[in-house]
């Protein structure tokens, strides 16, 4: 490593310095151009460190008990001696961009565990509630030597499947429900899930949870088999985060699936494909950021007005905008630096 601020920070992260890790995550989440340059230098310094964590994506409907589940599940793993990082993405206001970032408050017991690190992040405007820089935060946590990274996302929907591009195993948390509630879960997220965990399987809801689990198990059998699925996967199961029941089984299923994928070559090939996916996303985001610069905005506004007046078709205006991009290279270069 070269003698630079990014090298010093990288060395501290590799030495499992949690303050350095927190500072680095703040850096990669920043949208300031100078911070983006520093973040890129830091990630370049850390590239090839060879450390890997088990990345577990967790999503679920509001009120399903994600925070309770993560606290109980994370505590179970931390008590086993595993180092756990929780990256909890909080929804941002569409008007102000603000977030509550209350996950540390909701996970008080886990936050006190010396083997756990909890970092709430705003979702900003990224599709699917996954902060755009979450993948970089995951890479930082791996470099810091964490064994498991839990990625909690907000909401459930077609767009939420983006979490599958961040994780090795994706678990969907659902609440006990009956009847047509199964129809409320999008097919896309069902197809992305490796495990469906029906939470709150306790007390009066236990029988309902068992029936719901059977319904989802039946639905999963109708989905097309994926090459990366071990025999019996994807599967549905019940758990009670409140009473800490079924969590050991959830962990066993996750590790069984991860081990099978490693043994059969799907683990690394999937990570390679994810890296290619996020490279393409970086290019797209940089181009979009460049289009938000003054020169590009002016050209867009000019062409948009022409379309509004009926002087040209939208498709023709779009082609004209693309043709003008070489002349707007300065704007695009700025976009790359700030994206």
């Amino acid at each position: 490593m070269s003698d630079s601020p990014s090298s010093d920070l990288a060395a501290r992260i590799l030495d499992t310095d949690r303050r350095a890790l927190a500072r680095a995550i703040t850096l990669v989440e920043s949208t300031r151009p100078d911070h983006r340059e520093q973040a890129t230098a830091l990630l370049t310094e850390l590239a090839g460190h060879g450390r890997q964590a088990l990345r577990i994506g967790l999503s679920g409907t509001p009120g399903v008990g994600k925070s309770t589940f993560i606290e109980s599940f994370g505590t179970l793993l931390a008590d086993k001696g595993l180092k756990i990082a929780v990256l909890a993405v909080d929804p941002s206001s569409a008007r102000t961009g603000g977030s509550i970032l209350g996950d540390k408050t909701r996970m008080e017991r886990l936050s006190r565990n010396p083997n756990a690190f909890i970092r709430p992040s705003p979702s900003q405007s990224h599709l699917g509630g996954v902060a755009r820089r979450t993948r970089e935060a995951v890479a930082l946590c791996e470099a810091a030597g964490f064994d498991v990274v839990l990625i909690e996302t907000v909401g459930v929907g077609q767009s939420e499947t983006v979490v599958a591009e961040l994780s090795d195993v994706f678990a969907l948390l659902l609440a006990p429900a009956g009847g047509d509630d199964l129809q409320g879960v999008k097919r896309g997220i069902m197809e992305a899930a490796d495990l469906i965990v029906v939470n709150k399987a306790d007390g009066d809801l236990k029988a309902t949870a068992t029936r719901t689990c059977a319904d989802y198990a039946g639905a999963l059998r109708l989905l097309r088999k994926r090459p990366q699925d071990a025999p019996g996967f994807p599967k549905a199961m019940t758990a009670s985060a409140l009473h800490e029941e079924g969590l050991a089984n959830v962990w066993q299923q996750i590790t069984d699936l991860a081990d099978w994928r490693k043994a059969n070559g799907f683990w690394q090939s999937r990570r390679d494909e994810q890296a290619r996916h996020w490279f393409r996303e970086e290019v797209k985001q940089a181009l979009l950021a460049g289009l938000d610069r003054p020169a590009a905005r002016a050209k867009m506004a000019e062409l948009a007005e022409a379309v509004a007046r009926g002087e040209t078709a939208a498709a023709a205006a779009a082609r004209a905008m693309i043709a003008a991009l070489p002349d707007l290279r300065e704007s695009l270069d700025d976009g790359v630096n700030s994206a």
Side-chain angles (χ1 to χ4, degrees), residues 59-67 91 152-157 172-175 200:
S59 187
T61 51
V64 75
K66 289 192 297 293
S67 294
E152 178 199 3
T153 66
V154 295
V156 165
L172 175 61
L173 300 181
L174 297 173
K200 301 185 178 181

Side-chain angles (χ1 to χ4, degrees), residues 5 8 11 16 41 47 49 59 79 93 110 112 139 141-142 153 196 198 200 213 231 247 251 271 274 304 324 334-335:
D8 177 65
T16 68
H49 54 73
S59 187
D79 288 346
S93 167
L110 182 59
R112 295 197 304 265
C141 289
E142 287 191 311
T153 66
I196 289 180
V198 182
K200 301 185 178 181
C213 181
L247 301 181
W251 174 240
R271 286 204 166 197
Q274 288 176 340
D334 289 341

Side-chain angles (χ1 to χ4, degrees), residues 163-245:
V163 74
E165 297 297 339
L166 288 170
S167 54
D168 301 310
V169 177
F170 177 40
L172 175 61
L173 300 181
L174 297 173
D180 294 334
D181 282 9
L182 178 61
Q183 304 301 322
V185 178
K186 301 291 186 180
R187 181 180 177 91
I189 200 168
M190 286 279 287
E191 291 175 331
D194 297 306
L195 297 173
I196 289 180
V197 181
V198 182
N199 193 24
K200 301 185 178 181
D202 50 59
D204 295 339
L205 289 174
K206 189 165 187 177
T208 304
T210 301
R211 290 194 299 271
T212 301
C213 181
D215 289 341
Y216 283 114
L220 289 173
R221 284 194 291 270
L222 299 177
L223 298 179
R224 181 180 300 174
K225 188 76 171 176
R226 304 170 303 183
Q228 70 269 27
D229 289 333
F233 285 87
K235 63 176 58 177
M237 63 198 71
T238 60
S240 170
L242 183 62
H243 296 287
E244 301 183 359
E245 297 173 352

Side-chain angles (χ1 to χ4, degrees), residues 6-339:
S6 62
S7 297
D8 177 65
L9 188 57
R12 289 168 58 197
I13 290 171
L14 291 172
D15 198 34
T16 68
D17 184 329
R18 293 197 179 195
R19 288 188 178 182
L21 174 61
R23 178 184 166 195
I25 293 177
T26 299
L27 191 65
V28 300
E29 289 176 348
S30 175
T31 57
R32 281 177 42 176
D34 59 328
H35 286 175
R36 288 307 309 153
E37 289 185 11
Q38 293 173 43
T40 300
L42 173 63
L43 291 166
T44 301
E45 289 277 356
L46 290 172
H49 54 73
R51 295 176 178 174
Q52 286 191 338
L54 173 56
R55 306 171 182 172
I56 304 174
L58 290 163
S59 187
T61 51
V64 75
K66 289 192 297 293
S67 294
T68 303
F69 180 89
I70 290 175
E71 177 166 54
S72 297
F73 186 64
T75 299
L76 170 73
L77 303 186
D79 288 346
K80 291 177 178 288
L82 296 171
K83 294 177 63 180
I84 311 300
V86 178
L87 300 177
V89 183
D90 269 19
S92 297
S93 167
R95 294 180 59 191
T96 67
S99 294
I100 297 175
L101 303 179
D103 288 276
K104 277 198 170 183
T105 301
R106 294 196 298 267
M107 304 179 194
E108 184 179 357
R109 181 163 57 107
L110 182 59
S111 67
R112 295 197 304 265
N113 195 303
N115 282 335
F117 172 85
I118 302 175
R119 175 68 183 223
S121 300
S123 62
Q124 299 169 346
S125 60
H126 196 280
L127 181 67
V130 181
R132 185 178 166 204
R133 299 302 170 190
T134 297
R135 66 185 182 276
E136 295 177 348
V138 170
L140 292 172
C141 289
E142 287 191 311
F146 284 91
D147 302 302
V148 178
V149 179
L150 299 174
I151 309 161
E152 178 199 3
T153 66
V154 295
V156 165
Q158 190 75 25
S159 63
E160 201 62 11
T161 54
V162 69
V163 74
E165 297 297 339
L166 288 170
S167 54
D168 301 310
V169 177
F170 177 40
L172 175 61
L173 300 181
L174 297 173
D180 294 334
D181 282 9
L182 178 61
Q183 304 301 322
V185 178
K186 301 291 186 180
R187 181 180 177 91
I189 200 168
M190 286 279 287
E191 291 175 331
D194 297 306
L195 297 173
I196 289 180
V197 181
V198 182
N199 193 24
K200 301 185 178 181
D202 50 59
D204 295 339
L205 289 174
K206 189 165 187 177
T208 304
T210 301
R211 290 194 299 271
T212 301
C213 181
D215 289 341
Y216 283 114
L220 289 173
R221 284 194 291 270
L222 299 177
L223 298 179
R224 181 180 300 174
K225 188 76 171 176
R226 304 170 303 183
Q228 70 269 27
D229 289 333
F233 285 87
K235 63 176 58 177
M237 63 198 71
T238 60
S240 170
L242 183 62
H243 296 287
E244 301 183 359
E245 297 173 352
L247 301 181
N249 183 41
V250 172
W251 174 240
Q252 185 63 56
Q253 298 298 332
I254 288 174
T255 53
D256 285 350
L257 179 58
D259 289 344
W260 184 89
R261 286 176 172 171
K262 288 178 181 178
N264 289 273
F266 292 107
W267 173 281
Q268 192 58 49
S269 65
R270 177 61 180 150
R271 286 204 166 197
D272 292 345
E273 180 52 39
Q274 288 176 340
R276 287 189 284 268
H277 168 83
W278 288 115
F279 162 70
R280 292 190 293 267
E281 285 300 308
E282 281 294 330
V283 173
K284 292 176 185 177
Q285 292 295 333
L287 289 172
L288 289 174
L291 291 175
D292 197 38
R293 291 296 182 271
R297 282 203 305 268
K299 185 64 175 179
M300 288 279 285
E302 174 190 332
L303 291 169
E305 285 303 311
V307 172
R309 291 192 299 267
E311 297 173 0
T312 185
R319 284 196 293 270
M321 184 67 203
I322 297 300
L325 289 182
D327 295 330
L328 302 173
R329 184 170 301 278
E330 182 178 348
S331 289
L332 294 176
D333 289 344
D334 289 341
V336 171
N337 292 331
S338 62

